[in-house]
Structures are given as structure tokens and as C-alpha cells.
């Protein structure tokens, strides 16, 4: 199905509030009409009451009163229409941001694998803000200008048909100038938006890895890379500004001055041949001067409009990506938890498999451990089980049902996961365990923290379970964050528990607490463990040794030690060098 043009898609967002927008534009037309009536009233006062022998005060006062009334009407109308249009524009952008945020949660993880976080943030924050200017400023300016030009030319034809016909050449001339302006400035604006996105991405990455940057003395290199992006954006901003300066107020002002001089010359010549009304002369010059105000207004908003369209194209590019609908899971049956991989082959890139013919089964209540060197495919198995990616070949089942037939939410509802690098959200301790799940009470939160051995340190915090957690939990130690993430998984009472290097970043004392807790919580659950420390999986029911995407050994600890193969060598190496980083997430 072909994609709709950007302008039409933007219009569809505005169409939701068509009555409010039409009302605001009608009020705007009335306000503009009231403003345009001013010069004609002034012309009437000059010609009929100041340029004749008539000195009646009441008609003049009446016309002045009408003039002031129209000014007041225009002022009130402009305020009302501006409020309606701006509040509507904010509502439109609010809806667009929510659509974007909802869709981002539906998109495959492959997109986030290849896209810097800062670019995604830029789409939601900066690009939608640029689109707001289109609805808030350009739309109002364009309508105002159109109404003003229509009214002005109507008045000019009433005053002097020949000059009005001559002035009709101005709109096509300015339209040509605008076309040239748009042609040259769009490229500069596209580069400016792209560099802003790149800068956001780099800033985000730099903040996240600041300890690494400082530890390896990369401050200057990072600054130089940012300066390159910043300089490129600056250069294109200057080029765009030059185009804007030459083709907007500068050229419009020059043409306006020349046309005004010609009109003054024309009326001066007319006055030598016949009596000409000074009021007509005043009104024509006044209206002529007003022709250039809406033109300049449109030029001033062209940059905002172009920026909005460039940003809209980027936003709609994300909205056009395939996504999976987020479904309700209130009535999803709790699975027994038997997991089976049957001849599964998978690769992140076509033709480059990271898993080859993987087959194993983990029954209810069993613990299956995955071990292997970096890149052996351990984490890829977990990613497939969680539905983050689809296998290229083979199938994965839970209780005999292919996980491809599950919705993503149904699949993950009864899974718990603890990562090697635990993530804590900004909030407090109890929120980071319950994640505002209505089915998880405070007592259950406390119980989960107690089971993993975290209650002792949490209760010693100044605010206990209400202790604030800053972004990424940087005020807590790695072990404390890991214990909280363990409590989070346990509080959700999963049928399938996934531990991805969950004990790799904690000290031996904390590891002992977690191991003790796991003996209790693993009972009756299927537990899959990616193991870094082989000593932690000695009690596993089955250990799978992976090498280059294939299972090369399988069995329990004693069986694998007896055959003295790859697992035996890794275990002996770790036993002799407890701090060795040989085994890590793959």
C-alpha cells in the first residue's frame, strides 16, 4: 500500500479538530476584515469631512467611534483565534507524540539495535516540536495573509482599477521567489535536522559512558567529534540564513519601495491633470503598504514550515515501520513452563547464523544453564525465547505450543528476567519492584525483597521502601541494584525465570544471598541461566555448553566434569583464576 504524502498525513491529524480550526479561522477572517476597514474609514473622514466645507462633528465622531470599535473587535478576535489555534496545535502534537511513543513500543528490537537512542529521543521531542510550529504559526500566518491580500486587492480595485491590475503582478512574482527560496533552503534544513539528531545521539551516548570516556582520557577526542557535527550544523545554518535574508524581507522590501515610489509618481501626475482625492491617495498608499506585510509574514514562516515537513517525514518514517500491537493479557492462562527448542537456527544478519540447529528441553521446575565463550550464542537463545527476534528455522514451544502463535505480551506475561546490567527506573524502591502492577501489593514487594536478601539494606535506607532511586540507580551499588532486579522478577511470580549473567557483577557475599534465594524461588519454575561463574550452576539439572552457535556438550556438572571436555577446562581455569574474564555474555 503506497504511503500518503506528508502534507495529507499532517492534514489528517488536524482534521480531528476541524470544527475548532474552522471556528478560529472564521474569527481570524473577521479580525482581519476589521483591521482592513480602518484605512477606508480614514479615507471617508478625509474626503467627506476634512477636505470640504462641511464641519459637522457628529459624523466624524461616529466614524472615529466605528474605527475604534473595529480596532477593539480585531484585537479581541486576534486573541481568541490565537488561543484556539495554539491550544489546538498543542493538542495535535500531543496526539502525535503519543502515537509515536505507542508505535515505538511495537517496533522490533532490530530497529533499536541499529539506531542510537538519541536519534529516537530527537524524533519524539525535537521533531514533533518543529511540527507544532506548522500548526501554530504557519497555518495562521498563511490564512491571515490570504484574507489580507484578498481584502487589500478588493479595496485597491475600488480605489483605482489600473494600478490594482498592475499590483496583481506582485503575488506571482513573490510566488516565484518563494519557490526558489524553498528549493535552496530545504537541503540546508534537512542537514541541520540530521546533525541535530546526530548531536543528540552523541550527547546521550557520552553521558551514559562518561566514566569510560574519562578513564581512557577520551575527553578531547569526544569533544572534537562533537565539534565536527556542531560545525557542520552551523555552516548549514549560515547558508540557510543567507538564502532567507536575500529572498525574504530584503527583496520584498526593495520591491515594495519601488512599487510605492511608482504609485506616488502616478498619483502625483494625476493630480496635475485632474483633481484627485487626498483620501484616495492616502488609502491606496496605506493598502499598498499592507500588501507586503502578509508576504513578509509568509516568508518568515517558510523556514518553520520546511523544518516541520522535514521533521514530519522523519516522524512518519518511524510510524510506517511494521509493529506488533500491544494486547491485553488479563485472561492469559499461566503456563506450566516446559520450554523446548527444536532445531533452531538464527542470525541477526542474513547468511550469518549465530545459532545452528539448537535443540534442548527444559521441563517444569528444571534449571538449565547455558555456558560458553563470548559470541557463542547464549544471549541469542534468551532473545528468541522472549520473542525479541524470530528464528530463521526450527521452532520454539512452551507447553507444546509454538511461541509464534502467542502475542508478545501473552508470551512474556509469565516470564521474569534478570540481566547482567540491572536497570532501575527513576522512582522509589517499591516502584522498581512492582512497576505499579496493581496485583503486586506492598507486602508482596517486601516479601520479594526479603527472599532475595535485600530487605536488610533497604530497611536501613533513610526512607526505607520509599527511598528515591535516581536514574539508572547510580546511588546504589551494583549488588544492591541486582538484588532489587531479582526482587522485581520474583514479585511477578513467573513460570519461566531467565537469569542473564545475573551474578556476574556482584560480590561473593551477595552472590551467596542470591543463590540461597534461588533455591527457594526456582522450585516449581523453569529456570534458564546464562552463567558466567560456573560455580553457581553446579546444581543445575542440565548444562548446555555452546561454541560458535552450536551445543557441543550437555549434561549435569558431574557428567561434564567426567568427560573432561570444554566445560571441564573452563571450570578448572575459573577455579584457578577466580577473576578471569574468559566467560562472558554472548
Amino acid at each position: 500500500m503506497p504511503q500518503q504524502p506528508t502534507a495529507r498525513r499532517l492534514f489528517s491529524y488536524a482534521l480531528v479538530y476541524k470544527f475548532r480550526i474552522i471556528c478560529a479561522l472564521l474569527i481570524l477572517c473577521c479580525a482581519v476584515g476589521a483591521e482592513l476597514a480602518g484605512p477606508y474609514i480614514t479615507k471617508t473622514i478625509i474626503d467627506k469631512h476634512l477636505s470640504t466645507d462641511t464641519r459637522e462633528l457628529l459624523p466624524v465622531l461616529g466614524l472615529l467611534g466605528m474605527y475604534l470599535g473595529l480596532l477593539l473587535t480585531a484585537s479581541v478576535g486576534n486573541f481568541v483565534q490565537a488561543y484556539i489555534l495554539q491550544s489546538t496545535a498543542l493538542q495535535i502534537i500531543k496526539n502525535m507524540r503519543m502515537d509515536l511513543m505507542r508505535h515505538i513500543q511495537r517496533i522490533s528490537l532490530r530497529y533499536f539495535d541499529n539506531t542510537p537512542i538519541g536519534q529516537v529521543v530527537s524524533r519524539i521531542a525535537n521533531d514533533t516540536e518543529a511540527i507544532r510550529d506548522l500548526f501554530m504559526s504557519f497555518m495562521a500566518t498563511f490564512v491571515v495573509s490570504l484574507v489580507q491580500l484578498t481584502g487589500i486587492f478588493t479595496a485597491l480595485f475600488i480605489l483605482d482599477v489600473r494600478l490594482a491590475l498592475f499590483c496583481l503582478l506582485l503575488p506571482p512574482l513573490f510566488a516565484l521567489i518563494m519557490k526558489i527560496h524553498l528549493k535552496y533552503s530545504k537541503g540546508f534544513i534537512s542537514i541541520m535536522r540530521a546533525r541535530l539528531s546526530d548531536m543528540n545521539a552523541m550527547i546521550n551516548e557520552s553521558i551514559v559512558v562518561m566514566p569510560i570516556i574519562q578513564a581512557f582520557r577520551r575527553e578531547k577526542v569526544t569533544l572534537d567529534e562533537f565539534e565536527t557535527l556542531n560545525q557542520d550544523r552551523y555552516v548549514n545554518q549560515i547558508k540557510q540564513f543567507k538564502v532567507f535574508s536575500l529572498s525574504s524581507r530584503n527583496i520584498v522590501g526593495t520591491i515594495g519601495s519601488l512599487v510605492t515610489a511608482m504609485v506616488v509618481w502616478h498619483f502625483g501626475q494625476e493630480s496635475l491633470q485632474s483633481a484627485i482625492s487626498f483620501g484616495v491617495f492616502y488609502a491606496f498608499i496605506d493598502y499598498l503598504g499592507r500588501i507586503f506585510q502578509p508576504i513578509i509574514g509568509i516568508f518568515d514562516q517558510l523556514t518553520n514550515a520546511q523544518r516541520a515537513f522535514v521533521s514530519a517525514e522523519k516522524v512518519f518514517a518511524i510510524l510506517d515501520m511494521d509493529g506488533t500491537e500491544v494486547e491485553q493479557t488479563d485472561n492469559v492462562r499461566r503456563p506450566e513452563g516446559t520450554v523446548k527448542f527444536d532445531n533452531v537456527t538464527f542470525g541477526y544478519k542474513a547468511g550469518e547464523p549465530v545459532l545452528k540447529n539448537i535443540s534442548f528441553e527444559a521441563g517444569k521446575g528444571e534449571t538449565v544453564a547455558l555456558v560458553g565463550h563470548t559470541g557463542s550464542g547464549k544471549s541469542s537463545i534468551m532473545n528468541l525465547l522472549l520473542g525479541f527476534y524470530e528464528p530463521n528455522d526450527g521452532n520454539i514451544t512452551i507447553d507444546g505450543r509454538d511461541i509464534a502463535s502467542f502475542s508478545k505480551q501473552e508470551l512474556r506475561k509469565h516470564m521474569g528476567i534478570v540481566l547482567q546490567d540491572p536497570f532501575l527506573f527513576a522512582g522509589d524502591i517499591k516502584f522498581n519492584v512492582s512497576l505499579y502492577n496493581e496485583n503486586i501489593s506492598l507486602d508482596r514487594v517486601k516479601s520479594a525483597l526479603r527472599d532475595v536478601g535485600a530487605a536488610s539494606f533497604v530497611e536501613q535506607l533513610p526512607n526505607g521502601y520509599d527511598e528515591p532511586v535516581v536514574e539508572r540507580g547510580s546511588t546504589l551499588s551494583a549488588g544492591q541494584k541486582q538484588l532489587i532486579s531479582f526482587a522485581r522478577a520474583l514479585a511477578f511470580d513467573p513460570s519461566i525465570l531467565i537469569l542473564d549473567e545475573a551474578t556476574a557483577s556482584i560480590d561473593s557475599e551477595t552472590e551467596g544471598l542470591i543463590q540461597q534465594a534461588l533455591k527457594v524461588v526456582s522450585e516449581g519454575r523453569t529456570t534458564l541461566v546464562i552463567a558466567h561463574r560456573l560455580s553457581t550452576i553446579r546444581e543445575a539439572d542440565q548444562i548446555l555448553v555452546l561454541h560458535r552457535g552450536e551445543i557441543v556438550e550437555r549434561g549435569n556438572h558431574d557428567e561434564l566434569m567426567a568427560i573432561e571436555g570444554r566445560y571441564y577446562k573452563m571450570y578448572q581455569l575459573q577455579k584457578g583464576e577466580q577473576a578471569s574474564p574468559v566467560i562472558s555474555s554472548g
Side-chain angles (χ1 to χ4, degrees), residues 501-568:
E501 301 276 17
T503 61
S505 301
I506 57 179
D507 54 53
S508 299
E509 183 180 352
T510 305
E511 179 187 334
L513 291 173
I514 291 178
Q515 290 299 318
Q516 185 61 35
L518 284 177
K519 289 182 181 179
V520 177
V521 300
S522 297
E523 187 174 354
R525 291 187 177 87
T526 305
T527 305
L528 288 92
V529 183
I530 292 180
H532 173 76
R533 298 178 181 178
L534 302 185
S535 60
T536 64
I537 57 168
R538 292 187 56 163
E539 304 300 323
D541 298 289
Q542 185 178 186
I543 299 172
L544 306 178
V545 182
L546 287 99
H547 179 64
R548 295 182 179 177
E550 297 180 284
I551 298 175
V552 294
E553 295 177 9
R554 67 178 73 208
N556 60 34
H557 173 76
D558 293 334
E559 292 169 347
L560 293 177
M561 290 297 288
I563 63 175
E564 297 188 1
R566 183 174 292 274
Y567 176 84
Y568 174 85

Side-chain angles (χ1 to χ4, degrees), residues 333-339 362-366 398-399 414 494-496 524-526:
R333 181 183 63 85
R334 179 185 175 87
E336 292 292 321
T338 300
V339 174
K364 177 184 177 181
E366 289 185 351
I398 295 178
D399 296 347
H414 294 290
S495 296
I496 301 169
R525 291 187 177 87
T526 305

Side-chain angles (χ1 to χ4, degrees), residues 76-126:
V76 173
N78 282 325
F79 169 78
V80 173
Q81 66 83 15
Y83 177 81
I84 295 175
L85 275 182
Q86 292 194 26
S87 61
T88 303
L90 292 173
Q91 186 65 45
I92 290 171
I93 298 307
K94 174 189 169 188
N95 295 344
M96 185 177 289
R97 278 202 184 110
M98 288 307 301
D99 287 348
L100 191 56
M101 193 66 187
R102 271 190 291 266
H103 193 69
I104 281 174
Q105 297 183 49
R106 303 184 186 117
I107 296 174
S108 167
L109 280 183
R110 289 182 185 272
Y111 171 71
F112 301 101
D113 288 341
N114 302 313
T115 306
I117 296 173
Q119 286 189 11
V120 181
V121 173
S122 185
R123 299 291 171 266
I124 300 174
N126 297 338

Side-chain angles (χ1 to χ4, degrees), residues 194-257:
R195 292 299 167 268
L196 179 62
S197 178
D198 293 340
M199 288 162 65
N200 284 338
M202 186 175 179
I203 291 169
N204 181 82
E205 182 185 70
S206 297
I207 292 172
V208 171
V209 300
M210 188 59 71
I212 303 297
I213 291 174
Q214 294 182 357
F216 285 90
R217 305 178 304 284
R218 295 269 305 172
E219 294 93 341
K220 187 178 186 305
V221 175
T222 303
L223 195 61
D224 289 343
E225 291 174 356
F226 186 82
E227 173 61 22
T228 300
L229 296 175
N230 199 21
Q231 178 67 20
D232 192 27
R233 188 169 194 272
Y234 166 77
V235 168
N236 282 277
Q237 277 182 313
I238 293 296
K239 291 178 181 177
Q240 195 277 329
F241 180 72
K242 287 178 180 178
V243 172
F244 176 77
S245 298
L246 290 172
S247 60
S248 58
R249 291 179 178 270
N250 190 11
I251 196 165
V252 173
T254 301
I255 293 173
S257 299

Side-chain angles (χ1 to χ4, degrees), residues 264-444:
V264 171
W265 175 82
H266 170 79
F267 276 116
Q269 191 178 48
E270 285 286 317
S271 66
L272 295 177
Q273 299 173 6
S274 61
I276 185 170
S277 163
F278 180 72
V280 171
F281 175 71
Y282 164 81
F284 201 99
I285 294 296
D286 192 308
Y287 281 123
L288 184 63
R290 295 186 183 216
I291 285 180
F292 306 105
Q293 293 176 7
I295 299 297
I296 289 174
I298 291 176
F299 266 114
D300 285 347
Q301 292 299 327
L302 276 179
T303 300
N304 288 338
Q306 281 189 299
R307 187 183 298 120
F309 274 95
V310 170
S311 296
E313 289 172 359
K314 296 180 182 297
V315 169
F316 291 139
I318 294 180
L319 290 174
D320 289 334
M321 292 179 180
D322 292 333
T324 305
E325 199 65 35
V326 178
E327 300 179 4
Q328 296 295 323
T329 58
D330 296 336
N331 300 318
V332 173
R333 181 183 63 85
R334 179 185 175 87
E336 292 292 321
T338 300
V339 174
K340 184 177 181 181
F341 276 60
D342 185 12
N343 228 22
V344 171
T345 298
F346 168 72
Y348 295 98
K349 296 180 180 179
E352 299 180 17
V354 295
L355 295 175
K356 306 168 189 174
N357 304 315
I358 298 296
S359 296
F360 70 89
E361 182 172 346
K364 177 184 177 181
E366 289 185 351
T367 297
V368 175
L370 307 175
V371 302
H373 294 285
T374 299
S376 60
K378 305 185 299 296
S379 293
S380 296
I381 289 176
M382 299 305 188
N383 287 337
L384 290 174
L385 178 59
L386 285 161
F388 293 147
Y389 302 92
E390 306 295 331
N392 302 122
D393 197 14
N395 65 308
I396 306 167
T397 61
I398 295 178
D399 296 347
R401 178 183 170 187
D402 195 322
I403 66 170
S405 66
F406 290 81
S407 71
K408 300 304 181 186
Q409 288 66 45
E410 182 183 3
L411 174 65
R412 299 163 190 158
K413 180 176 176 63
H414 294 290
M415 287 188 185
I417 183 169
V418 180
L419 300 172
Q420 177 180 1
D421 186 15
F423 185 88
L424 298 187
F425 298 90
D428 56 30
I429 299 289
K430 66 178 185 296
F431 159 68
N432 270 282
V433 176
S434 69
L435 299 182
Y436 290 142
N437 188 314
E438 296 178 354
N439 298 320
I440 299 178
S441 64
L442 180 58
D443 289 339
R444 189 164 164 185

Side-chain angles (χ1 to χ4, degrees), residues 4-41:
Q4 291 182 328
T6 300
R8 184 178 298 177
R9 297 181 71 172
L10 288 170
F11 180 73
S12 67
Y13 273 94
L15 201 59
V16 177
Y17 303 99
K18 55 182 178 294
F19 295 114
R20 291 180 63 180
I21 293 174
I22 291 171
C23 178
L25 296 182
L26 287 175
I27 294 172
L28 181 58
C29 291
C30 293
V32 171
E35 290 177 346
L36 291 177
Y40 199 86
I41 293 175

Side-chain angles (χ1 to χ4, degrees), residues 427-489:
D428 56 30
I429 299 289
K430 66 178 185 296
F431 159 68
N432 270 282
V433 176
S434 69
L435 299 182
Y436 290 142
N437 188 314
E438 296 178 354
N439 298 320
I440 299 178
S441 64
L442 180 58
D443 289 339
R444 189 164 164 185
V445 168
K446 292 180 178 179
S447 176
L449 288 166
R450 187 166 53 250
D451 287 343
V452 300
S456 56
F457 89 81
V458 171
E459 291 172 356
Q460 291 177 3
L461 296 171
N463 298 299
Y465 298 95
D466 297 315
E467 180 70 15
V469 176
V470 299
E471 186 179 3
R472 301 192 306 276
S474 56
T475 57
L476 301 172
S477 70
Q480 290 172 333
K481 288 190 289 186
Q482 193 64 283
L483 287 171
I484 292 172
S485 66
F486 254 94
R488 178 194 299 161

Side-chain angles (χ1 to χ4, degrees), residues 111-165:
Y111 171 71
F112 301 101
D113 288 341
N114 302 313
T115 306
I117 296 173
Q119 286 189 11
V120 181
V121 173
S122 185
R123 299 291 171 266
I124 300 174
N126 297 338
D127 288 327
T128 53
E129 196 68 18
I131 297 171
R132 177 182 66 92
D133 292 334
L134 179 70
F135 292 110
M136 187 176 289
S137 302
F138 182 77
M139 185 169 62
T141 301
F142 185 80
V143 173
V144 167
S145 300
L146 186 63
V147 173
Q148 284 181 330
L149 289 173
T150 302
I152 288 169
F153 275 102
T154 301
L156 291 180
F157 272 99
I158 293 173
L159 295 170
D160 191 297
V161 175
R162 286 177 303 166
L163 275 181
L165 286 171

